Amino acid sequence: MTFRGSEWKDGSMTDFLASEDSLPDVDMNRPHPARMYDYYLGGKNHFAADRAVADAALASWPAGRIGLRENRRFLGRAVRYLATDAGIRQFLDIGSGLPTQANVHEIAQGADPSCRVVYVDNDSMVLAHARALLASAPEGRTAYIQADLRSPLDILSSPVVREVIDFDKPVALMLVAVLHFLQEEDKPEAVLATLLDALPPGSYLAASHMTMEHDPEGVGGGQRAYHKAGLPMHSRDADDFASLAFSGLDLVPPGVVLVSEWRPDTNGPRPTPAEVSCYGGVARKPLPALRQVFSPLRTPRLARKTAAFTRLWHGAEQNRRAELREAST
């Protein structure tokens, strides 16, 4: 048996045929969120079981495709901000899903070809299409591992991840449209803490999350379709999402907003909140306090520079005050 998939080559999407033998551990009768997401976006890498559950969810939330496409656009803008404005050169994309247009490495390496990207997903079918995710610019690196967000230590300890990502330098952790698959029994706070603790100060988290706040009936019906198929889905409101993902981090303006409202690149009309029903945000892991950064024991050269700057500042301040006293007499 064969199925038709798609692969990126020379910057464009081309079709190819893959045999069933090339899909290790893929259960075509069990739906998977990565393949359903591909179906929502108009891709070809999905099976009847995926389409059946996705169609059931769309029957309750007809705007679902709009929200998920807005989420994908948010991913693109977030990566572009991180690579262009924040100067990030390393990306760890967990729950990456199947290759589609404007993948993380394409956007990041478009800003700087030296960017490094590791994709992580727990669907074996993503592995079968990893060639499309590994087409790195020669100056950079891309890699893929099959792992689960619920086991963050397995991700962080992966030899592939450790080879591509330098955890002594800032990293962008991408958790886009994946956190709502964590149930409370998965201990999502501990998962986030484990991942963020491994990142150095100056790193970033970009995340998005489904919500029922704006369309409880529609999104709630879609969530029930997932549950009926045995798929986890746990929508959260804006405050719960912000608390889960961004506690202790410095949010980049405009903060936690609907993904369609996060730094939009056009002034045209945007979907309604009910159509989007997905929050997103980007935040930075704070740098250590200045007194720690400039500790003479840790950074003597910086401490000497800081002391010299302080003396100059005090001298300038004394001169300014003297001029004010002379002007007042």
Side-chain angles (χ1 to χ4, degrees):
M1 177 179 177
T2 61
F3 78 99
R4 183 167 295 276
S6 52
E7 180 181 35
W8 281 97
K9 185 177 181 180
D10 299 329
S12 61
M13 185 74 82
T14 58
D15 289 337
F16 69 95
L17 289 174
S19 69
E20 187 176 0
D21 294 338
S22 69
L23 300 178
D25 301 323
V26 173
D27 185 351
M28 292 182 288
N29 297 313
R30 180 179 175 82
H32 191 282
R35 300 192 300 267
M36 293 170 61
Y37 193 78
D38 181 72
Y39 175 62
Y40 291 131
L41 294 178
K44 301 177 181 179
N45 302 314
H46 41 75
F47 302 118
D50 307 308
R51 294 189 291 272
V53 179
D55 286 340
L58 290 172
S60 295
W61 185 35
R65 279 197 167 97
I66 296 175
L68 293 170
R69 287 169 180 164
E70 288 297 326
N71 178 79
R72 187 72 188 182
R73 295 185 181 109
F74 160 75
L75 169 68
R77 295 194 303 274
V79 172
R80 195 170 295 110
Y81 165 81
L82 291 165
T84 303
D85 296 347
I88 297 296
R89 296 295 177 261
Q90 304 186 109
F91 295 79
L92 180 58
D93 184 5
I94 302 178
S96 57
L98 288 150
T100 182
Q101 295 182 3
N103 297 297
V104 170
H105 74 279
E106 294 169 320
I107 299 172
Q109 292 180 350
D112 188 326
S114 69
C115 286
R116 294 171 167 240
V117 180
V118 175
Y119 294 102
V120 182
D121 205 282
N122 66 354
D123 182 8
S124 298
M125 191 164 169
V126 179
L127 176 61
H129 293 272
R131 284 178 294 170
L133 294 177
L134 302 181
S136 172
E139 300 91 338
R141 291 283 304 276
T142 60
Y144 170 82
I145 66 167
Q146 186 173 331
D148 197 303
L149 173 62
R150 293 169 294 185
S151 301
L153 290 177
D154 291 344
I155 297 172
L156 296 170
S157 63
S158 163
V160 173
V161 173
R162 307 302 296 192
E163 179 184 354
V164 177
I165 301 294
D166 182 353
F167 285 93
D168 289 328
K169 297 179 181 178
V171 179
L173 173 63
M174 312 298 296
L175 297 175
V176 176
V178 67
L179 290 175
H180 43 246
F181 294 115
L182 292 181
Q183 305 287 71
E184 293 306 319
E185 55 265 31
D186 296 322
K187 300 181 179 179
E189 292 84 0
V191 170
L192 265 295
T194 300
L195 291 169
L196 291 171
D197 286 349
L199 306 183
S203 294
Y204 285 80
L205 168 63
S208 64
H209 200 296
M210 297 300 297
T211 182
M212 291 194 293
E213 282 186 274
H214 306 288
D215 186 2
E217 183 176 346
V219 179
Q223 181 168 281
R224 287 191 294 273
Y226 275 63
H227 291 169
K228 186 177 180 180
L231 298 175
M233 172 69 77
H234 186 80
S235 298
R236 295 177 174 90
D237 63 25
D239 290 340
D240 288 342
F241 167 50
S243 175
L244 169 63
F246 302 118
S247 292
L249 305 180
D250 297 330
L251 278 163
V252 172
V256 173
V257 294
L258 291 168
V259 290
S260 54
E261 303 301 316
W262 197 88
R263 296 177 175 245
D265 46 19
T266 66
N267 294 322
R270 292 191 283 278
T272 65
E275 289 174 323
V276 178
S277 292
C278 185
Y279 287 115
V282 175
R284 185 173 186 253
K285 187 172 181 178
L287 296 171
L290 287 177
R291 60 182 177 83
Q292 294 176 330
V293 172
F294 297 117
S295 168
L297 294 176
R298 295 181 60 188
T299 53
R301 184 179 178 186
L302 285 176
R304 289 195 296 272
K305 287 185 176 182
T306 303
F309 175 83
T310 302
R311 288 194 297 271
L312 287 172
W313 184 87
H314 279 300
E317 182 67 7
Q318 289 175 351
N319 290 338
R320 186 183 70 84
R321 291 179 180 179
E323 290 172 357
L324 288 174
R325 283 196 298 270
E326 290 178 1
S328 63
T329 57

